[in-house]
């Protein structure tokens, strides 16, 4: 919205949820799944909304794990879902996902992609991935960046099937120069 978020106070920047979905998620291991969400929500909003947490647990398919399981007992797919759930607990308008399906098997990848597709109607998502097939499956718009430079941006179908720039086509077809 034209705001310089770097110079904004923390409570304004909290509207951006960073789903820390790196290859090795970093939950608070000594806490249960629910407690992880409560801590994230309290930090991001200043209070705890248990109804919202219940909604997020159901949305991310973590309800069964909420009370009894410490995050150390979760599978990698569940850990990644927990990281997304923690980010959602702050009611962000924008969610940044960095390689949310990296190191996952194909079935687990599909679960994460389903979560992403379901989130698209609720907020803006920015997904970083090196998996071009995944980008084609889940994104509406694609930005191709190389060495920190924005090369091309546009509707996903256009970027993947009829890119404007030869450099983009070379990358997509594996003919890097």
């Amino acid at each position: 919205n034209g705001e310089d978020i770097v110079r904004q106070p923390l409570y304004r920047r909290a509207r951006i949820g960073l789903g820390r979905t790196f290859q090795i998620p970093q939950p608070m291991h000594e806490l249960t799944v629910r407690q992880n969400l409560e801590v994230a929500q309290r930090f991001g909003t200043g209070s705890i909304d248990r109804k919202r947490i219940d909604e997020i647990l159901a949305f991310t398919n973590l309800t069964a794990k909420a009370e009894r399981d410490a995050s150390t007992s979760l599978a990698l797919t569940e850990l990644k879902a927990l990281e997304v759930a923690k980010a959602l607990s702050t009611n962000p308008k924008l969610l940044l996902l960095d390689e949310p399906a990296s190191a996952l098997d194909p079935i687990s990848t599909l679960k994460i992609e389903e979560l992403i597709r379901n989130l698209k109607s609720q907020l803006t998502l920015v997904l970083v991935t090196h998996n071009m097939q995944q980008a084609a499956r889940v994104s509406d718009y694609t930005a191709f960046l190389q060495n920190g430079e924005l090369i091309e941006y546009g509707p996903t179908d256009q970027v993947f099937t009829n890119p404007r720039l030869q450099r983009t086509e070379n990358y997509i077809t594996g003919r890097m120069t």
Side-chain angles (χ1 to χ4, degrees), residues 37-87:
L37 268 65
E38 288 174 351
V39 168
Q41 189 178 62
R42 180 175 287 148
F43 179 77
T45 66
S47 63
I48 294 176
D49 179 347
R50 287 183 175 78
K51 181 179 178 196
R52 175 73 178 141
I53 287 175
D54 288 339
E55 291 170 356
I56 293 167
L57 288 168
F59 181 78
T60 55
N61 294 315
L62 291 171
T63 301
K65 304 280 184 170
E67 306 301 338
R68 58 179 165 74
D69 292 345
S71 58
T72 52
S73 68
L74 300 179
L76 184 56
T77 306
E78 294 167 330
L79 284 170
K80 290 186 179 239
L82 175 60
E83 294 301 320
V84 172
K86 285 168 41 183

Side-chain angles (χ1 to χ4, degrees), residues 22-35:
F22 304 118
Q23 287 189 17
I24 301 172
Q26 299 296 315
M28 293 165 269
H29 289 296
E30 65 281 1
L31 302 179
T32 66
V33 170
R34 178 177 297 280
Q35 289 168 333

Side-chain angles (χ1 to χ4, degrees), residues 160-175:
F160 280 100
T161 61
N162 190 25
R164 292 188 322 267
L165 301 172
Q166 186 65 45
R167 190 169 168 188
T168 305
E169 184 168 332
N170 288 349
Y171 184 82
I172 289 170
T173 58
R175 295 188 309 254

Side-chain angles (χ1 to χ4, degrees), residues 108-171:
S108 298
T109 295
L110 290 175
K111 289 179 183 176
I112 294 296
E113 289 178 6
E114 180 182 357
L115 178 62
I116 290 168
R117 278 190 291 278
N118 291 336
L119 284 170
K120 284 177 17 175
S121 65
Q122 299 177 25
L123 65 153
T124 300
L125 297 171
V126 176
L127 169 72
V128 175
T129 183
H130 291 92
N131 183 330
M132 288 186 289
Q133 294 83 9
Q134 181 177 65
R137 285 191 301 266
V138 302
S139 65
D140 298 322
Y141 293 90
T142 295
F144 169 48
L145 290 94
Q146 191 174 48
N147 300 322
E149 178 186 356
L150 176 63
I151 308 302
E152 187 164 343
Y153 172 79
T156 295
D157 289 344
Q158 179 261 311
V159 170
F160 280 100
T161 61
N162 190 25
R164 292 188 322 267
L165 301 172
Q166 186 65 45
R167 190 169 168 188
T168 305
E169 184 168 332
N170 288 349
Y171 184 82

